[in-house]
Amino acid sequence: MESEMVKFKESAIAEIQDAKNPIELDGVRVKYLGRAGLISKLSESMRDVPKGERPRIGKLLNEVRLTLTSAFEDRAEAFAAQHDLAAIEDIDETLPSTPLRLGAIHPLTQLQDRAIQVFRRLGFALAAGPDIETEWNCFDALNTPPNHPARNETDTFYLPDGRLLRTHTSTVQIRTMLATPPPVRVIAPGAAYRRDEMDATHLSQFNQLEGLYIDKHVTISDLKGTLEYFVRELLGSQVETRMRPHFFPFTEPSLELDIRLPGVNSGRWMELLGCGIVDPTVLEKVNEGRGDQAYDPGKWTGYAFGMGLDRLAMALFGLPDIRLLIENDQRFLAQFV
Ligand code: PHE
């Protein structure tokens, strides 16, 4: 039996080497290692081996089994490697590769990130609110009377359930004050929606950056100082600013801040943001909403501002059409890497 096994091993190895393809190889594997294969048969004839010899012969048989198994595996691997090589044989590695297109940060996002950084240095925290809002958060709490034109169906997108797409990010002022007692110092970047006809300077969805600061003895000069610092940090020391009186239902007094920068907007003044001292009525509405007196207008004062980022991006990047910002045209975006 011993010599039989050695012969058997040799012929198996020879057949494995001679197999011309994986199918032939598998045939050889079944013949030797299969369930009804020759190794199994040899195992069965162990019965006829004298008892004393069994451990030695058994060990030998096992070695043959292992040797053959690994010989099969090696040969199968060799076939697989051959197959892989054949698959790439026709590839011409001297051809130029497809260029990898790197993405870039959208110009609006770049501008928004820079603006956020400046305010963060001043200690403002980030706040956020949903795009779908209640009328109360968007208008009532912000002291906007029911007959105000902004509340009109022709100006605002209403949902069938009476909610609306926020027309400004000032809703986050209200949400922040409802959620946290004063003092408050937050900025809130986000989308706002108005039913504007789309053209080169209008979109029905645009981007704002809101700010709210509530503390003791906050004055217009705090507002002015902060905004002037912000504008200089964002746009450089060449920028000029001016403030004009304005009206918003939720600030009193209300102002608009214009900026002028050489080479931008043909050197003309541009409106950057609306701002003002938070109207005490807003604080009272917030108290009503909270059910406490946390924002006692006798104790707390504050300022708020809201700026549009799209027009600013247009001016800074010299864009002739606001729609470039939403078309996601690769030829446009690739310029901002
Ligand atoms: N919400 C105003 C707008 O969209 C801007 C603003 C914000 C004005 C905060 C005053 C205070 O035009």
Side-chain angles (χ1 to χ4, degrees):
M1 174 140 181
E2 219 178 315
S3 60
E4 201 182 325
M5 260 192 288
V6 174
K7 256 200 359 242
F8 168 92
K9 186 171 103 183
E10 274 162 10
S11 68
I13 300 254
E15 281 178 56
I16 290 171
Q17 293 313 322
D18 287 349
K20 281 183 210 62
N21 53 49
I23 298 170
E24 269 187 42
L25 179 68
D26 202 54
V28 181
R29 189 185 60 76
V30 172
K31 175 174 161 195
Y32 286 95
L33 292 172
R35 214 169 335 145
L38 295 172
I39 291 265
S40 292
K41 292 225 173 79
L42 275 178
S43 307
E44 276 163 29
S45 49
M46 281 292 284
R47 266 187 257 122
D48 311 328
V49 176
K51 241 200 179 138
E53 287 286 284
R54 270 190 209 163
R56 199 174 58 79
I57 301 289
K59 197 166 155 243
L60 215 58
L61 184 63
N62 214 25
E63 273 167 20
V64 171
R65 193 204 315 270
L66 289 177
T67 310
L68 292 189
T69 306
S70 80
F72 276 113
E73 278 168 7
D74 289 352
R75 191 81 180 111
E77 255 170 50
F79 278 131
Q82 243 173 42
H83 181 261
D84 288 350
L85 267 179
I88 58 169
E89 209 173 51
D90 293 337
I91 292 177
D92 179 355
E93 67 272 25
T94 64
L95 282 176
S97 61
T98 320
L100 203 60
R101 285 211 181 168
L102 281 189
I105 296 180
H106 192 283
L108 253 178
T109 312
Q110 289 185 24
L111 179 63
Q112 180 179 290
D113 288 350
R114 277 168 50 204
I116 291 172
Q117 266 172 28
V118 177
F119 281 115
R120 294 208 71 136
R121 284 207 292 282
L122 291 170
F124 283 79
L126 270 179
D131 293 9
I132 296 178
E133 265 295 2
T134 61
E135 267 198 279
W136 195 82
N137 283 342
C138 196
F139 296 127
D140 300 288
L142 286 159
N143 194 32
T144 308
N147 59 353
H148 192 280
R151 301 184 68 147
N152 210 298
E153 294 257 349
T154 55
D155 284 6
T156 299
F157 293 106
Y158 283 90
L159 274 65
D161 66 5
R163 288 182 303 163
L164 47 79
L165 297 184
R166 66 181 180 192
T167 57
H168 50 186
T169 45
S170 301
T171 54
V172 185
Q173 291 185 35
I174 302 304
R175 286 183 170 267
T176 304
M177 290 190 278
L178 289 177
T180 36
V184 157
R185 186 159 40 175
V186 292
I187 48 166
Y193 306 81
R194 288 178 201 171
R195 280 184 95 133
D196 279 331
E197 276 307 322
M198 251 218 243
D199 62 25
T201 51
H202 294 86
L203 291 174
S204 49
Q205 177 183 341
F206 53 100
N207 297 278
Q208 289 193 326
L209 181 76
E210 191 79 14
L212 175 69
Y213 178 43
I214 305 278
D215 209 324
K216 300 211 163 122
H217 316 296
V218 178
T219 66
I220 288 266
S221 63
D222 296 319
L223 172 62
K224 195 162 183 254
T226 303
L227 290 178
E228 282 180 354
Y229 173 82
F230 163 73
V231 168
R232 269 201 316 276
E233 285 294 295
L234 188 75
L235 304 172
S237 53
Q238 283 176 305
V239 70
E240 292 173 86
T241 55
R242 76 175 181 198
M243 279 178 142
R244 288 177 288 109
H246 199 76
F247 174 81
F248 298 103
F250 34 93
T251 45
E252 181 58 35
S254 301
L255 301 153
E256 275 194 333
L257 180 85
D258 297 338
I259 55 170
R260 187 159 69 171
L261 195 62
V264 171
N265 197 34
S266 317
R268 289 191 309 267
W269 285 104
M270 335 188 305
E271 177 193 320
L272 177 67
L273 55 81
C275 60
I277 296 294
V278 175
D279 194 306
T281 318
V282 173
L283 300 182
E284 272 156 14
K285 298 267 187 196
V286 165
N287 285 337
E288 268 172 48
R290 292 174 58 94
D292 65 15
Q293 283 300 311
Y295 284 85
D296 180 351
K299 283 193 198 141
W300 300 95
T301 47
Y303 63 68
F305 56 85
M307 73 186 81
L309 292 178
D310 308 72
R311 299 268 174 83
L312 181 60
M314 282 178 78
L316 291 180
F317 297 118
L319 310 182
D321 195 313
I322 196 169
R323 288 167 287 199
L324 286 165
L325 291 172
I326 57 163
E327 282 166 349
N328 282 337
D329 189 322
Q330 167 70 18
R331 291 165 301 179
F332 169 71
L333 294 175
Q335 299 172 47
F336 297 93
V337 184

